Amino acid sequence: MKKLIIASVFAAVLLSGCSKGPLDTTFDLTNLQTLTDSSSKIHDELPEQESEIVQWAINTLNIGTVESIEKFKEQYGADITYRKIVKLAVDNRKQAVFDEYERLKSIEKDWTDIYNDLSKIKASNISLGTSSEFFTRGKPLVSFDVHNGSKQDLSSIQWEIDLYLDDEQEPYSTYTGIDSYTYGSKKNGLRAGETVHRSIAIDTFGFNDNAKKWTDLKAQNAKKKSIAVTVIPTSAKDFSEENLITGNVPKALKAYEAEKNLIINAEKMIK
């Protein structure tokens, strides 16, 4: 079954008189093709800001997934216009966006404080060798001292381990290594202020292409290798095995703020 194609050029032809502006012009709903073909003409007439809002509304309502003109008419009516589409999207999305924005705003400071605190966990005296352990024997082994400069007692953390070759500015490979303090020689947790020596084998088994790059021909023939080890704050778990923080609140807040402002402008546009 042919699907309605409504992408960045979704719009409609002027069908009902020159006096109507693009936002209030109804679409040609003869069939999917006429809807798709006609829609691009109105879209071209929209100012840039209105075009952005209309595209947001289309994406919000998933209009591009409609598979027949009958379903389109049933869902949106035979006299659907951009103004009505934008209103539907605002009604559908506004409350959720505003609520989530306020929730993120309320936790932003606490999240940032903990993130900054966990970022004080540092690795130093980094060296690259070869593992002698049974399951990882012969694999690259990154060893380093860990200083828990945070205020948190931790059961595990994760490290971003970057491999640099020669004088390249970008890492050749980035490996994520889990550092657990619940088993082995250090199974009583990593306490605030504590410094310990740790080693992480670069596990090249399976389909981890980033890990395999540590031992490929380019890596083998590099004249110089250097390693950077950086804690991933959103991976840190407390003694109850719970993540202290997750996600990226500042980034999410920025995205929700942008959508919130777009909705505010959309409401002004459809008054």
Side-chain angles (χ1 to χ4, degrees), residues 154-159 177-190 196 198-200 237 241:
L154 305 168
S155 62
S156 69
I157 52 180
Q158 290 185 25
W159 299 97
I178 299 174
D179 192 8
S180 176
Y181 295 88
T182 59
Y183 65 89
S185 60
K186 187 74 174 72
K187 57 184 179 182
N188 62 336
L190 178 64
V196 295
R198 303 297 286 173
S199 295
I200 294 179
K237 293 185 177 181
E241 299 288 333

Side-chain angles (χ1 to χ4, degrees), residues 26-27 29 72-74 76-80:
T26 53
F27 306 155
L29 304 184
F72 185 90
K73 291 178 182 178
E74 180 182 345
Y76 301 107
D79 60 346
I80 190 67

Side-chain angles (χ1 to χ4, degrees), residues 188-218:
N188 62 336
L190 178 64
R191 298 182 182 276
E194 189 174 7
T195 299
V196 295
H197 187 72
R198 303 297 286 173
S199 295
I200 294 179
I202 308 301
D203 188 355
T204 57
F205 292 112
F207 300 97
N208 191 331
D209 291 336
N210 280 337
K212 291 179 180 179
K213 292 175 72 174
W214 284 67
T215 55
D216 66 13
L217 290 175
K218 182 174 180 178

Side-chain angles (χ1 to χ4, degrees), residues 126-128 142 160-164 214 225-229:
I126 303 165
S127 63
L128 177 63
V142 178
E160 179 182 291
I161 306 175
D162 294 318
L163 170 66
Y164 292 85
W214 284 67
K225 297 178 184 178
S226 57
I227 311 293
V229 181

Side-chain angles (χ1 to χ4, degrees), residues 19 40 71 76 93 104 125 165 170-171 190 193 207 211 214 257:
S19 60
S40 62
K71 289 183 179 180
Y76 301 107
R93 186 74 177 142
L104 291 170
N125 300 322
L165 302 182
E170 296 297 323
L190 178 64
F207 300 97
W214 284 67
E257 183 175 21

Side-chain angles (χ1 to χ4, degrees), residues 21-24 42-43 45-58 81-90 261-271:
L23 287 178
D24 297 303
I42 286 185
H43 190 273
E45 296 180 15
L46 292 170
E48 183 176 351
Q49 185 182 49
E50 291 187 1
S51 175
E52 179 185 0
I53 291 171
V54 165
Q55 191 58 51
W56 164 82
I58 291 166
T81 63
Y82 277 137
R83 189 182 300 277
K84 292 178 180 179
I85 285 175
V86 172
K87 186 178 186 308
L88 285 172
V90 169
N261 290 334
L262 188 148
I263 290 172
I264 291 172
N265 289 330
E267 289 181 313
K268 294 176 182 177
M269 186 180 87
I270 59 177
K271 281 184 178 180

Side-chain angles (χ1 to χ4, degrees), residues 122-138:
K122 302 292 185 181
S124 61
N125 300 322
I126 303 165
S127 63
L128 177 63
T130 303
S131 175
S132 60
E133 296 293 328
F134 179 77
F135 290 108
T136 57
R137 184 170 295 144

